[in-house]
Each structure stands twice: as structure tokens, then as C-alpha cells.
Short mmCIF file of all heavy atoms in Angstrom, two decimals:
data_model
loop_
_atom_site.label_atom_id
_atom_site.label_comp_id
_atom_site.label_asym_id
_atom_site.label_seq_id
_atom_site.Cartn_x
_atom_site.Cartn_y
_atom_site.Cartn_z
N SER T 1 6.22 -6.13 -5.03
CA SER T 1 7.05 -6.25 -6.23
C SER T 1 6.82 -7.57 -6.95
O SER T 1 7.11 -7.69 -8.14
CB SER T 1 8.53 -6.09 -5.88
OG SER T 1 8.96 -7.19 -5.10
N THR T 2 6.29 -8.56 -6.24
CA THR T 2 6.05 -9.86 -6.86
C THR T 2 4.57 -10.13 -7.10
O THR T 2 4.23 -11.18 -7.62
CB THR T 2 6.63 -10.98 -5.98
OG1 THR T 2 6.00 -10.95 -4.70
CG2 THR T 2 8.13 -10.84 -5.83
N ALA T 3 3.72 -9.19 -6.70
CA ALA T 3 2.27 -9.39 -6.88
C ALA T 3 1.92 -9.31 -8.36
O ALA T 3 2.40 -8.43 -9.07
CB ALA T 3 1.49 -8.34 -6.10
N PRO T 4 1.07 -10.22 -8.84
CA PRO T 4 0.72 -10.22 -10.26
C PRO T 4 -0.22 -9.09 -10.65
O PRO T 4 -0.29 -8.72 -11.81
CB PRO T 4 0.05 -11.58 -10.46
CG PRO T 4 -0.49 -11.94 -9.10
CD PRO T 4 0.47 -11.33 -8.11
N ASP T 5 -0.93 -8.52 -9.69
CA ASP T 5 -1.95 -7.52 -10.01
C ASP T 5 -1.63 -6.20 -9.30
O ASP T 5 -1.76 -6.10 -8.09
CB ASP T 5 -3.32 -8.04 -9.56
CG ASP T 5 -4.45 -7.10 -9.94
OD1 ASP T 5 -4.23 -6.24 -10.81
OD2 ASP T 5 -5.54 -7.25 -9.38
N ASP T 6 -1.22 -5.19 -10.08
CA ASP T 6 -0.93 -3.87 -9.50
C ASP T 6 -2.20 -3.14 -9.08
O ASP T 6 -2.15 -2.20 -8.31
CB ASP T 6 -0.17 -3.00 -10.51
CG ASP T 6 1.29 -3.39 -10.60
OD1 ASP T 6 1.77 -4.07 -9.68
OD2 ASP T 6 1.94 -3.01 -11.59
N GLU T 7 -3.35 -3.56 -9.58
CA GLU T 7 -4.62 -2.91 -9.24
C GLU T 7 -4.94 -3.07 -7.76
O GLU T 7 -5.68 -2.27 -7.20
CB GLU T 7 -5.76 -3.49 -10.08
CG GLU T 7 -5.64 -3.21 -11.56
CD GLU T 7 -5.71 -1.72 -11.88
OE1 GLU T 7 -6.56 -1.04 -11.27
OE2 GLU T 7 -4.90 -1.27 -12.69
N LEU T 8 -4.37 -4.09 -7.12
CA LEU T 8 -4.62 -4.31 -5.70
C LEU T 8 -4.18 -3.12 -4.87
O LEU T 8 -4.81 -2.76 -3.88
CB LEU T 8 -3.90 -5.58 -5.22
CG LEU T 8 -4.00 -5.93 -3.74
CD1 LEU T 8 -5.44 -6.27 -3.38
CD2 LEU T 8 -3.08 -7.08 -3.41
N TRP T 9 -3.07 -2.47 -5.26
CA TRP T 9 -2.48 -1.38 -4.47
C TRP T 9 -3.15 -0.03 -4.74
O TRP T 9 -2.86 0.93 -4.04
CB TRP T 9 -0.99 -1.29 -4.73
CG TRP T 9 -0.35 -2.63 -4.68
CD1 TRP T 9 0.23 -3.32 -5.69
CD2 TRP T 9 -0.28 -3.51 -3.55
NE1 TRP T 9 0.67 -4.53 -5.27
CE2 TRP T 9 0.36 -4.69 -3.95
CE3 TRP T 9 -0.71 -3.42 -2.23
CZ2 TRP T 9 0.60 -5.76 -3.10
CZ3 TRP T 9 -0.48 -4.49 -1.38
CH2 TRP T 9 0.17 -5.63 -1.81
N PHE T 10 -4.02 0.03 -5.75
CA PHE T 10 -4.68 1.29 -6.09
C PHE T 10 -6.19 1.09 -6.19
O PHE T 10 -6.78 1.29 -7.23
CB PHE T 10 -4.12 1.85 -7.40
CG PHE T 10 -2.65 2.14 -7.33
CD1 PHE T 10 -1.73 1.22 -7.79
CD2 PHE T 10 -2.20 3.31 -6.75
CE1 PHE T 10 -0.37 1.48 -7.71
CE2 PHE T 10 -0.85 3.57 -6.67
CZ PHE T 10 0.09 2.66 -7.14
N PRO T 11 -6.83 0.71 -5.07
CA PRO T 11 -8.27 0.48 -5.11
C PRO T 11 -9.05 1.80 -5.17
O PRO T 11 -8.53 2.85 -4.78
CB PRO T 11 -8.55 -0.25 -3.80
CG PRO T 11 -7.48 0.25 -2.88
CD PRO T 11 -6.27 0.46 -3.75
N GLU T 12 -10.27 1.71 -5.65
CA GLU T 12 -11.15 2.88 -5.62
C GLU T 12 -11.43 3.22 -4.14
O GLU T 12 -11.42 2.34 -3.29
CB GLU T 12 -12.46 2.57 -6.34
CG GLU T 12 -12.30 2.34 -7.83
CD GLU T 12 -11.84 3.58 -8.56
OE1 GLU T 12 -12.26 4.69 -8.17
OE2 GLU T 12 -11.05 3.43 -9.50
N ALA T 13 -11.72 4.48 -3.89
CA ALA T 13 -11.95 4.92 -2.51
C ALA T 13 -13.12 4.20 -1.86
O ALA T 13 -13.15 3.99 -0.65
CB ALA T 13 -12.17 6.42 -2.48
N THR T 14 -14.09 3.78 -2.67
CA THR T 14 -15.28 3.12 -2.12
C THR T 14 -15.13 1.60 -2.04
O THR T 14 -15.99 0.94 -1.49
CB THR T 14 -16.50 3.44 -2.99
OG1 THR T 14 -16.22 3.03 -4.34
CG2 THR T 14 -16.80 4.93 -2.97
N ASP T 15 -14.04 1.05 -2.55
CA ASP T 15 -13.84 -0.40 -2.58
C ASP T 15 -13.12 -0.85 -1.31
O ASP T 15 -11.91 -1.05 -1.29
CB ASP T 15 -13.03 -0.79 -3.82
CG ASP T 15 -12.97 -2.28 -4.03
OD1 ASP T 15 -13.54 -3.04 -3.20
OD2 ASP T 15 -12.34 -2.71 -5.02
N THR T 16 -13.89 -1.02 -0.23
CA THR T 16 -13.28 -1.35 1.06
C THR T 16 -12.72 -2.77 1.08
O THR T 16 -11.74 -3.02 1.78
CB THR T 16 -14.29 -1.18 2.21
OG1 THR T 16 -15.43 -1.98 1.94
CG2 THR T 16 -14.70 0.28 2.36
N ALA T 17 -13.32 -3.68 0.34
CA ALA T 17 -12.83 -5.06 0.36
C ALA T 17 -11.42 -5.14 -0.22
O ALA T 17 -10.53 -5.79 0.35
CB ALA T 17 -13.77 -5.97 -0.43
N THR T 18 -11.18 -4.47 -1.35
CA THR T 18 -9.85 -4.47 -1.97
C THR T 18 -8.86 -3.71 -1.09
O THR T 18 -7.70 -4.13 -0.96
CB THR T 18 -9.91 -3.85 -3.38
OG1 THR T 18 -10.89 -4.54 -4.15
CG2 THR T 18 -8.57 -3.96 -4.07
N THR T 19 -9.30 -2.63 -0.49
CA THR T 19 -8.43 -1.86 0.41
C THR T 19 -7.98 -2.72 1.58
O THR T 19 -6.80 -2.77 1.92
CB THR T 19 -9.16 -0.61 0.93
OG1 THR T 19 -9.53 0.20 -0.19
CG2 THR T 19 -8.29 0.18 1.87
N ARG T 20 -8.92 -3.44 2.18
CA ARG T 20 -8.57 -4.32 3.31
C ARG T 20 -7.63 -5.44 2.88
O ARG T 20 -6.72 -5.82 3.60
CB ARG T 20 -9.83 -4.89 3.94
CG ARG T 20 -10.57 -3.88 4.75
CD ARG T 20 -11.79 -4.46 5.40
NE ARG T 20 -12.44 -3.45 6.22
CZ ARG T 20 -13.68 -3.50 6.61
NH1 ARG T 20 -14.43 -4.53 6.29
NH2 ARG T 20 -14.19 -2.54 7.34
N GLU T 21 -7.87 -5.99 1.68
CA GLU T 21 -7.00 -7.05 1.18
C GLU T 21 -5.58 -6.53 0.97
O GLU T 21 -4.61 -7.19 1.33
CB GLU T 21 -7.56 -7.60 -0.14
CG GLU T 21 -6.73 -8.72 -0.72
CD GLU T 21 -7.26 -9.20 -2.07
OE1 GLU T 21 -8.36 -8.78 -2.48
OE2 GLU T 21 -6.55 -9.99 -2.70
N ALA T 22 -5.45 -5.33 0.41
CA ALA T 22 -4.13 -4.75 0.18
C ALA T 22 -3.43 -4.47 1.51
O ALA T 22 -2.24 -4.76 1.66
CB ALA T 22 -4.27 -3.46 -0.62
N ILE T 23 -4.16 -3.93 2.47
CA ILE T 23 -3.56 -3.64 3.77
C ILE T 23 -3.13 -4.92 4.46
O ILE T 23 -2.04 -5.00 5.03
CB ILE T 23 -4.54 -2.83 4.64
CG1 ILE T 23 -4.70 -1.42 4.08
CG2 ILE T 23 -4.09 -2.78 6.09
CD1 ILE T 23 -5.78 -0.60 4.73
N ALA T 24 -3.96 -5.95 4.40
CA ALA T 24 -3.61 -7.23 5.02
C ALA T 24 -2.37 -7.82 4.37
O ALA T 24 -1.51 -8.39 5.05
CB ALA T 24 -4.78 -8.20 4.92
N THR T 25 -2.25 -7.68 3.06
CA THR T 25 -1.07 -8.16 2.35
C THR T 25 0.16 -7.38 2.78
O THR T 25 1.22 -7.95 3.04
CB THR T 25 -1.27 -8.05 0.84
OG1 THR T 25 -2.45 -8.76 0.47
CG2 THR T 25 -0.10 -8.63 0.08
N CYS T 26 0.02 -6.07 2.88
CA CYS T 26 1.15 -5.21 3.30
C CYS T 26 1.65 -5.57 4.70
O CYS T 26 2.85 -5.53 4.97
CB CYS T 26 0.74 -3.74 3.30
SG CYS T 26 0.76 -2.96 1.68
N LEU T 27 0.73 -5.89 5.60
CA LEU T 27 1.11 -6.15 6.98
C LEU T 27 2.00 -7.38 7.11
O LEU T 27 2.69 -7.54 8.11
CB LEU T 27 -0.12 -6.26 7.87
CG LEU T 27 -0.90 -4.96 8.02
CD1 LEU T 27 -2.13 -5.17 8.88
CD2 LEU T 27 -0.04 -3.86 8.61
N GLY T 28 1.99 -8.26 6.10
CA GLY T 28 2.86 -9.43 6.12
C GLY T 28 4.18 -9.21 5.40
O GLY T 28 4.97 -10.12 5.24
N CYS T 29 4.44 -7.99 4.95
CA CYS T 29 5.62 -7.68 4.16
C CYS T 29 6.86 -7.51 5.03
O CYS T 29 6.80 -6.86 6.07
CB CYS T 29 5.37 -6.41 3.35
SG CYS T 29 6.70 -6.00 2.22
N PRO T 30 8.00 -8.06 4.61
CA PRO T 30 9.21 -7.94 5.43
C PRO T 30 9.82 -6.54 5.43
O PRO T 30 10.62 -6.22 6.30
CB PRO T 30 10.18 -8.95 4.79
CG PRO T 30 9.71 -9.10 3.40
CD PRO T 30 8.22 -8.91 3.44
N VAL T 31 9.44 -5.69 4.48
CA VAL T 31 10.00 -4.34 4.42
C VAL T 31 8.94 -3.28 4.68
O VAL T 31 9.01 -2.15 4.18
CB VAL T 31 10.70 -4.10 3.06
CG1 VAL T 31 11.95 -4.92 2.95
CG2 VAL T 31 9.76 -4.36 1.90
N LEU T 32 7.94 -3.61 5.49
CA LEU T 32 6.82 -2.71 5.77
C LEU T 32 7.28 -1.36 6.30
O LEU T 32 6.87 -0.32 5.82
CB LEU T 32 5.86 -3.37 6.77
CG LEU T 32 4.71 -2.51 7.28
CD1 LEU T 32 3.71 -2.27 6.16
CD2 LEU T 32 4.03 -3.16 8.45
N LEU T 33 8.15 -1.36 7.29
CA LEU T 33 8.58 -0.10 7.91
C LEU T 33 9.41 0.74 6.95
O LEU T 33 9.29 1.98 6.95
CB LEU T 33 9.34 -0.37 9.20
CG LEU T 33 8.51 -1.04 10.30
CD1 LEU T 33 9.35 -1.29 11.53
CD2 LEU T 33 7.30 -0.20 10.65
N LEU T 34 10.23 0.11 6.12
CA LEU T 34 10.99 0.86 5.13
C LEU T 34 10.06 1.51 4.12
O LEU T 34 10.27 2.63 3.68
CB LEU T 34 11.99 -0.06 4.42
CG LEU T 34 13.15 -0.57 5.26
CD1 LEU T 34 13.94 -1.63 4.51
CD2 LEU T 34 14.05 0.59 5.66
N CYS T 35 9.01 0.79 3.75
CA CYS T 35 8.02 1.31 2.81
C CYS T 35 7.30 2.51 3.41
O CYS T 35 7.10 3.54 2.75
CB CYS T 35 7.04 0.21 2.43
SG CYS T 35 5.84 0.69 1.18
N ARG T 36 6.90 2.41 4.67
CA ARG T 36 6.23 3.53 5.33
C ARG T 36 7.13 4.74 5.41
O ARG T 36 6.71 5.88 5.20
CB ARG T 36 5.79 3.14 6.75
CG ARG T 36 4.55 2.32 6.78
CD ARG T 36 4.07 2.09 8.19
NE ARG T 36 2.91 1.20 8.16
CZ ARG T 36 2.34 0.70 9.22
NH1 ARG T 36 2.81 0.98 10.42
NH2 ARG T 36 1.29 -0.09 9.10
N GLN T 37 8.40 4.49 5.72
CA GLN T 37 9.35 5.59 5.83
C GLN T 37 9.55 6.26 4.47
O GLN T 37 9.56 7.50 4.38
CB GLN T 37 10.67 5.07 6.37
CG GLN T 37 11.71 6.14 6.56
CD GLN T 37 13.02 5.58 7.11
OE1 GLN T 37 13.18 4.37 7.25
NE2 GLN T 37 13.94 6.45 7.43
N ALA T 38 9.67 5.47 3.42
CA ALA T 38 9.84 6.04 2.08
C ALA T 38 8.61 6.83 1.66
O ALA T 38 8.72 7.92 1.09
CB ALA T 38 10.11 4.92 1.07
N ALA T 39 7.43 6.30 1.96
CA ALA T 39 6.19 7.03 1.63
C ALA T 39 6.13 8.35 2.39
O ALA T 39 5.76 9.38 1.83
CB ALA T 39 4.98 6.16 1.95
N ALA T 40 6.51 8.34 3.65
CA ALA T 40 6.48 9.56 4.46
C ALA T 40 7.45 10.60 3.90
O ALA T 40 7.12 11.79 3.84
CB ALA T 40 6.83 9.23 5.92
N GLU T 41 8.62 10.16 3.47
CA GLU T 41 9.61 11.10 2.93
C GLU T 41 9.16 11.65 1.59
O GLU T 41 9.30 12.84 1.32
CB GLU T 41 10.96 10.42 2.80
CG GLU T 41 11.62 10.13 4.13
CD GLU T 41 12.85 9.26 4.03
OE1 GLU T 41 13.27 8.93 2.88
OE2 GLU T 41 13.42 8.90 5.07
N GLU T 42 8.60 10.79 0.74
CA GLU T 42 8.19 11.23 -0.60
C GLU T 42 6.96 12.13 -0.56
O GLU T 42 6.82 13.02 -1.39
CB GLU T 42 7.90 10.02 -1.48
CG GLU T 42 9.14 9.23 -1.82
CD GLU T 42 8.82 7.89 -2.46
OE1 GLU T 42 7.68 7.70 -2.94
OE2 GLU T 42 9.71 7.02 -2.49
N GLU T 43 6.07 11.91 0.40
CA GLU T 43 4.81 12.65 0.45
C GLU T 43 4.80 13.76 1.50
O GLU T 43 3.77 14.36 1.74
CB GLU T 43 3.64 11.69 0.74
CG GLU T 43 3.44 10.64 -0.31
CD GLU T 43 2.38 9.62 0.05
OE1 GLU T 43 2.10 9.45 1.26
OE2 GLU T 43 1.85 9.00 -0.86
N ARG T 44 5.94 14.05 2.08
CA ARG T 44 6.02 15.01 3.18
C ARG T 44 5.35 16.33 2.80
O ARG T 44 5.70 16.97 1.82
CB ARG T 44 7.47 15.26 3.55
CG ARG T 44 7.63 16.30 4.66
CD ARG T 44 9.03 16.38 5.16
NE ARG T 44 9.31 15.14 5.89
CZ ARG T 44 10.42 14.45 5.75
NH1 ARG T 44 11.35 14.83 4.93
NH2 ARG T 44 10.60 13.35 6.44
N GLY T 45 4.34 16.71 3.60
CA GLY T 45 3.66 17.99 3.41
C GLY T 45 2.60 18.00 2.32
O GLY T 45 1.91 18.99 2.16
N ASP T 46 2.45 16.92 1.56
CA ASP T 46 1.43 16.86 0.51
C ASP T 46 0.04 16.73 1.11
O ASP T 46 -0.12 16.17 2.18
CB ASP T 46 1.66 15.67 -0.43
CG ASP T 46 2.92 15.83 -1.27
OD1 ASP T 46 3.46 16.94 -1.30
OD2 ASP T 46 3.33 14.85 -1.90
N GLY T 47 -0.95 17.20 0.40
CA GLY T 47 -2.33 17.07 0.85
C GLY T 47 -2.89 15.70 0.55
O GLY T 47 -2.25 14.86 -0.08
#
């Protein structure tokens, strides 16, 4: 919510460097588990 660049969270599928950077940033987040839970609820059963 405080990151200046929203593009970090939506990397291209082939851009592994940006994907790793986003994941590393997420792992330091204080609400990581709440975010995972919300994503699981919102995407339940989606392909």
C-alpha cells in the first residue's frame, strides 16, 4: 500500500527478477498471512 510502483506486483510471467523482488518484499510484510487468506477467499476455485 505504500510502494511507489504498482508494476512491481504485476510482473510479466517471464520477468523472474521482478517476480523475486516482489516476493521478497511480500515476505517482509506484517500482514502477509492476512493477504494470503484474502487472496485464497477471493480466488477460490478460479483457474
